[in-house]
Every structure is written in C-alpha cells, then in structure tokens.
C-alpha cells in the first residue's frame, strides 16, 4: 500500500509491517529512493571477527577466495584493516570483503559462513551495500 500526496508520503510494507512517513516537497522521491535501497540485493559480503590483525598474511586473500569459491564465483577479495582510533596503540579490526558474481551466491555464502567457527572465533558474515563497496567505502 502506498499513499502519496504533495506534502506527505506514507508507505506500509506487507512483508515487514513497517510504515515510513516523510513530509515535504520531495516526499515521493525520498520514499521511492528508500524503498529501492531497502530491497536491493548486493553481491558483496563482509566478514568480521574472522582473523585478528596479527593473523593477516600474504596467503589470507587467496585462502578466503578459495573458501568462498565453494559458494559461487568470487570476483574480488579485499582485506581491510581499520584502526579504531588515531592513537598509535589503537585496536585494529580486520574486515574481509568478498564480491561475488551474483547476489544469490553472496546470500548462500553468508548463510554458510555466518556463525561458523574459524581459528577459535565466530565469523560474522553479512551483506554489504554494493555501492559503498564500489566507491571503496569500507568503513561500514
């Protein structure tokens, strides 16, 4: 159900029962843009809590590509190390981004890897917004 007027837009989604309301002259555009982004599938997965900073080596990218290749065609793997502050001794979190050929392959990999134990850690696998990845925005 979608009700749109010149000053207010209200959208209810049947699948989640969620309702959004936006007012203003650009209400229709904003609602349509939000709905398009919400349902958009991504070919990119992010793996967190898989390895620590100390475990990153030259073979990690190839190992991840091989493991993820069991779930679909991997186009690209990026190992990203993110310092949590500007301090010299700041904690560094390792995020591994995997881009698949198809969004369905990405979903299969997420389902297979999320919650799996690897090296004494529980992997956190999730979908990552494809447009952010393509802009090299790995901060999310």
């Amino acid at each position: 159900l979608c009700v749109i007027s010149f000053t207010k837009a209200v959208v209810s989604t049947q699948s989640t029962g969620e309702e959004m309301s936006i007012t203003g002259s650009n209400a229709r555009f904003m609602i349509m843009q939000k709905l398009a982004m919400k349902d958009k599938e991504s070919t990119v997965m992010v793996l967190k809590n898989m390895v620590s900073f100390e475990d990153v080596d030259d073979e990690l990218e190839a190992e991840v590509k091989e493991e993820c290749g069991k779930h679909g065609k991997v186009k690209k793997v990026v190992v990203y190390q993110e310092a949590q502050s500007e301090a010299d001794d700041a904690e560094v979190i390792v995020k591994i981004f995997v881009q698949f050929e198809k969004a369905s392959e990405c979903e299969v990999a997420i389902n297979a890897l999320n919650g799996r134990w690897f090296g004494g850690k529980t992997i956190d696998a999730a979908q990552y917004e494809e447009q952010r990845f393509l802009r090299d925005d790995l901060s999310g």
Side-chain angles (χ1 to χ4, degrees):
L1 172 67
C2 182
V3 178
I4 300 174
S5 68
F6 291 108
T7 59
K8 184 175 183 179
V10 177
V11 174
S12 293
T13 57
Q14 289 180 347
S15 61
T16 63
E18 181 180 341
E19 187 172 294
M20 295 180 286
S21 177
I22 299 176
T23 58
S25 60
N26 294 323
R28 181 172 187 247
F29 174 76
M30 290 167 44
I31 287 287
M32 297 310 286
Q33 191 173 36
K34 181 152 179 92
L35 286 173
M37 291 303 293
K38 183 174 184 148
D39 295 329
K40 191 168 184 161
E41 294 181 333
S42 176
T43 61
V44 181
M45 166 178 71
V46 60
L47 300 168
K48 297 178 186 175
N49 199 43
M50 185 170 168
V51 296
S52 64
F53 173 72
E54 295 81 17
D55 297 328
V56 175
D57 60 24
D58 294 337
E59 299 171 11
L60 181 60
E61 187 177 318
E63 291 170 353
V64 170
K65 186 172 186 174
E66 181 181 341
E67 183 63 30
C68 290
K70 296 174 183 177
H71 309 291
K73 184 174 181 182
V74 175
K75 290 174 65 175
K76 186 176 184 179
V77 175
V78 175
V79 178
Y80 180 67
Q81 300 174 46
E82 180 180 77
Q84 298 303 293
S85 73
E86 298 293 325
D88 291 338
D89 61 346
E91 178 187 10
V92 176
I93 293 177
V94 178
K95 298 178 190 176
I96 302 170
F97 295 86
V98 183
Q99 183 181 30
F100 289 88
E101 187 74 29
K102 299 177 184 173
S104 59
E105 297 168 334
C106 180
E107 188 65 31
V108 168
I110 290 168
N111 290 332
L113 297 172
N114 190 43
R116 181 173 155 185
W117 282 88
F118 180 82
K121 296 177 175 228
T122 305
I123 299 172
D124 177 14
Q127 190 177 67
Y128 193 77
E129 188 180 323
E130 192 165 356
Q131 290 305 311
R132 285 182 81 173
F133 178 78
L134 295 174
R135 289 190 313 263
D136 292 324
D137 178 357
L138 307 179
S139 62

